[in-house]
DNA sequence: AAGCCAGTTGCGAATGATTTGCAGGAAAGG
DNA sequence: CCTTTCCTGCAAATCATTCGCAACTGGCTT
C-alpha cells in the first residue's frame, strides 16, 4: 500500500500522513490529481527538509512529467492549509516539512547544511513574556541556530 | 560637520559612526569614493531598518547619480567587514542596520511592518545550553518574533 | 458509459531582488 | 600631473518563485 519495498517500519505512518495531507486538500476543495497525489506521497515520506526542486525531483519518479510549477502551487496550497511548513533559511531556497503535532525550531549545521529540530518550552515561554512586556502578542516566530559541531577534546 | 540642520542631538554620534564605517572600509583596503562616502553617512544616520532600495533613495540625495549596484556592492562589503548587519525577514527584501555594540533580536509588527529590537540574556543562555547539549556550539542565530499589538481592553 | 465544466496542468514568459560583465572614470600615491 | 588599480553606472544575467494561458481532466451528473 505504501508503494515499493522500503523498510517495513514507518510505512504505515507515511501512508497515514499522506492521507492527512490528502484530506487537507479535499477539505480546501481542491482536486486530487495524480500529480498532487504523487507529491503528497513524497512530502509525507520526506524525513529531511527538502526544497521545491528536490521535492520535484522525487515526485517525478512517481509521476513523470509533473512540472515544477505544479509542485510550487501545491506546496503553497498545503502551506495555506497548515499541513506543511515553509522554512526560509539564510540565503537558501525555501525548504518544506510536514507539520508534525508539535512545534519546533531549527538548528542548521553551517558546515554540513544538516538541519536538526529541537524545542524548548522555556524559550517559548520567555518569548511570550518578552512580547507581552512590550504590549505585543506573538503571531508566530522564527528561531534558527546556525551551529558547528563542537570539538570534543580532539 | 554632520551636514544639514537636523536635530542637534545625535549628530555627533552619527558623525562618529560614519567614521567607524569609513575606517572599516579603509582597513579592508577599499577606496573611499564619494558614492561610498554618501552611502556611509546614510547608513550611519539610519535609525530604522531600511532595505537597499530605500538606502539608495536616501543616498541619491547626497550624491545624485549613485547607482543601486554600488549601493548593493558597498553594503555587501560593509557586511563582510562586520560593521553592518543584513536582516532577512519573511518574504521581504533584505534590510540593513549598523552593528551596534550590543547584539539584539527583532520583533516585527505583522500589521504595521514596524521593527522593534530587544534582547534577552536568558534566551541567549538557553540557546547556547540547548546547542551544547546536542554537541554543537552556536556560530550565530536568528530570532524573530512576528507580533501584533495586544488589545489592551479598548 | 458519456458529458460537462470548473479547477488543473505544463510551458514559457514575467517577477523581483540581487549580482555581474564590461568599458569608461576616478581614488591614491608617486 | 601621471599611472595603476580599483570603482562606477548600465545593462544583461541569475535565481527562486509566480503567472498567463490554452489544453486537459477530475469528479460529478445524467
Amino acid at each position: 500500500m505504501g508503494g515499493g519495498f522500503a523498510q517495513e517500519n514507518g510505512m504505515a505512518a507515511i501512508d497515514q500522513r499522506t492521507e492527512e495531507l490528502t484530506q487537507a486538500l479535499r477539505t480546501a476543495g481542491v482536486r486530487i490529481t495524480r500529480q498532487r497525489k504523487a507529491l503528497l506521497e513524497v512530502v509525507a515520506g520526506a524525513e529531511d527538509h527538502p526544497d521545491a526542486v528536490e521535492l520535484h525531483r522525487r515526485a517525478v519518479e512517481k509521476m513523470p512529467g509533473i512540472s515544477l510549477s505544479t509542485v510550487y502551487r501545491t506546496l503553497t496550497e498545503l502551506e495555506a492549509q497548515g499541513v506543511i511548513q515553509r522554512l526560509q533559511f539564510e540565503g537558501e531556497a525555501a525548504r518544506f516539512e510536514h507539520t508534525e503535532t508539535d512545534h519546533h525550531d531549527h538548528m542548521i549545521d553551517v558546515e554540513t547544511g544538516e538541519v536538526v529540530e529541537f524545542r524548548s518550552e522555556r524559550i517559548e515561554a520567555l518569548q511570550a513574556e518578552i512580547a507581552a512586556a512590550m504590549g505585543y502578542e506573538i503571531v508566530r516566530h522564527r528561531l534558527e541556530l546556525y551551529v558547528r559541531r563542537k570539538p570534543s577534546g580532539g
Side-chain angles (χ1 to χ4, degrees), chain A:
Chain A
M1 289 266 142
F5 296 96
Q7 347 175 37
E8 185 159 332
N9 158 334
M11 284 329 302
I14 292 177
D15 285 352
Q16 189 197 312
R17 199 142 49 207
T18 302
E19 192 46 42
E20 284 169 15
L21 298 178
T22 304
Q23 278 314 316
L25 289 191
R26 263 196 239 287
T27 301
V30 305
R31 290 180 188 159
I32 306 305
T33 62
R34 34 220 166 106
Q35 20 279 82
R36 281 182 176 156
K37 197 164 190 300
L39 180 60
L40 296 187
E41 286 168 14
V42 169
V43 170
E47 288 310 318
D48 46 354
H49 300 76
D51 61 19
V53 173
E54 175 58 25
L55 286 170
H56 174 241
R57 206 182 331 269
R58 297 181 194 176
V60 166
E61 289 173 26
K62 293 174 182 274
M63 169 66 207
I66 178 175
S67 73
L68 182 55
S69 304
T70 293
V71 169
Y72 270 115
R73 279 188 284 239
T74 304
L75 288 174
T76 299
E77 186 63 49
L78 289 170
E79 184 193 13
Q81 295 311 309
V83 287
I84 69 170
Q85 204 131 359
R86 181 185 299 254
L87 309 176
Q88 189 67 263
F89 298 141
E90 298 189 346
E92 333 179 352
R95 292 163 174 241
F96 300 83
E97 67 176 12
H98 43 249
T99 304
E100 294 291 327
T101 44
D102 56 328
H103 158 77
H104 58 251
D105 294 304
H106 300 89
M107 211 177 278
I108 302 92
D109 186 317
V110 297
E111 256 134 40
T112 68
E114 187 191 357
V115 176
V116 179
E117 305 178 347
F118 72 90
R119 172 177 179 68
S120 166
E121 299 300 342
R122 294 209 280 157
I123 286 185
E124 303 281 321
L126 276 175
Q127 289 174 357
E129 194 179 298
I130 291 169
M134 302 185 80
Y136 291 104
E137 59 185 8
I138 296 179
V139 175
R140 64 181 180 288
H141 74 156
R142 168 150 79 161
L143 172 56
E144 291 157 20
L145 304 184
Y146 292 85
V147 304
R148 170 178 299 134
R149 198 157 283 128
K150 191 159 39 172
S152 54

